Amino acid sequence: VCVFKVTPQPQGASLKQLVNIFTFSDEHFEDQAIKVKKLFYKFNARRLVVDGNGLGIGFVDYLVKPQIDPDTNEVFPDFGVYNDDEGYYKKYRTENCEQDALYIVKANAPINNEAHSTAQTQLSSGKVKFLIDERVAKTKLLGTVKGNNMKPEERAEYLKPFTLTSILKEEMMNLREENEGVNIILKQANRGIRKDKFSAFEYGLYYIKQEEDSKKKKKRFNAKEWKFYTSGR
């Protein structure tokens, strides 16, 4: 899970800050759904973006239904799908539904091309900010009374987002761009280094760009509406 903070700019694309990273593995989809929904509310997120291909669609099946945290008995509502154009997920909505909370990316070659291109453009233009290096974060933490009083496991937990950011950067450095016809393919130079964190990262940037482009279109459309129908607005 990559958590982005998006700050609009007076000119050009918004500034994206990767403020945290979380990983969940070897857990049932329902347990993951509970944890991800907790993060959604903790960070007051605008939207949860999920890769809906392969195993991801099984995860979506749990997100669109309510859950109860077995440890706290806290109830988490079903998440409505923002881009449910065919209305497939509407049948799962309850009266407590978190409307339009979920966006499903059904990646194909054109979407992957756009996602790769968007990530490259945003990174090269300095529009994406990362957490500081884990070594710098550790030095700063140990320079505080609180950091020195932490137990080793507490310190490791605090530094985990910084460590995962370093792993994300390692994944990015391991990718090599190739072209197959009109398609951009990112291949791992070292197959032992995964690219799952990078996939989450670039799909996040892809969705943010979709939102920005949509707002630009709406802005142009609304300006025309105001010009001709001011009394109706």
Side-chain angles (χ1 to χ4, degrees):
V1 179
C2 290
V3 182
F4 289 93
K5 178 182 179 181
V6 183
T7 306
Q9 301 297 295
Q11 297 291 331
S14 60
L15 180 65
K16 295 89 177 170
Q17 293 174 270
L18 182 62
V19 298
N20 217 319
I21 301 180
F22 300 87
T23 58
F24 308 116
S25 59
D26 300 325
E27 298 180 48
H28 192 280
F29 276 152
E30 186 160 29
D31 297 327
Q32 292 188 33
I34 291 170
K35 290 182 177 181
V36 169
K37 287 181 178 180
K38 281 185 176 181
L39 291 176
F40 181 87
Y41 291 113
K42 177 181 179 179
F43 288 95
N44 192 26
R46 178 188 178 100
R47 196 146 288 136
L48 171 62
V49 181
V50 175
D51 178 3
N53 285 328
L55 290 173
I57 202 63
F59 182 46
V60 168
D61 286 344
Y62 283 91
L63 291 170
V64 297
K65 291 188 176 183
Q67 280 86 33
I68 299 176
D69 187 336
D71 297 324
T72 64
N73 289 324
E74 186 177 2
V75 178
F76 294 95
D78 53 304
F79 276 19
V81 180
Y82 176 70
N83 58 330
D84 185 17
D85 298 330
E86 297 179 0
Y88 176 77
Y89 292 101
K90 287 183 178 179
K91 59 188 176 185
Y92 298 109
R93 292 184 182 179
T94 70
E95 59 181 14
N96 296 318
C97 177
E98 188 69 57
Q99 300 287 347
D100 296 337
L102 180 61
Y103 183 96
I104 302 173
V105 176
K106 283 284 192 176
N108 51 28
I111 287 178
N112 281 332
N113 286 341
E114 185 175 353
H116 299 335
S117 177
T118 296
Q120 187 177 57
T121 301
Q122 295 295 302
L123 288 166
S124 62
S125 64
K127 291 295 185 179
V128 182
K129 303 297 181 184
F130 295 91
L131 294 171
I132 60 175
D133 184 85
E134 60 180 302
R135 290 168 296 182
V136 176
K138 184 176 182 179
T139 300
K140 287 189 173 185
L141 180 63
L142 292 176
T144 65
V145 174
K146 180 180 178 181
N148 279 297
N149 290 336
M150 282 181 173
K151 296 178 181 179
E153 56 271 22
E154 292 175 331
R155 197 175 295 134
E157 185 63 26
Y158 175 89
L159 293 171
K160 193 172 182 180
F162 303 97
T163 303
L164 291 174
T165 300
S166 295
I167 295 174
L168 166 64
K169 291 181 178 179
E170 182 183 9
E171 290 185 3
M172 292 167 63
M173 294 294 292
N174 186 53
L175 295 173
R176 300 293 181 268
E177 182 178 318
E178 296 183 9
N179 292 92
E180 293 184 1
V182 296
N183 296 325
I184 302 172
I185 308 296
L186 296 182
K187 292 188 176 181
Q188 297 146 273
N190 180 351
R191 299 292 295 180
I193 299 177
R194 302 175 64 180
K195 62 173 185 176
D196 53 327
K197 294 172 185 62
F198 175 74
S199 294
F201 170 80
E202 76 163 352
Y203 283 142
L205 292 180
Y206 165 81
Y207 167 74
I208 293 168
K209 185 176 184 300
Q210 302 309 302
E211 279 286 286
E212 289 180 337
D213 290 347
S214 176
K215 286 180 179 178
K216 288 178 183 176
K217 291 178 182 177
K218 287 181 180 178
K219 187 175 181 180
R220 288 197 295 268
F221 178 80
N222 287 339
K224 186 176 180 180
E225 289 281 286
W226 293 334
K227 183 176 180 181
F228 293 102
Y229 302 102
T230 51
S231 63
R233 296 291 173 178

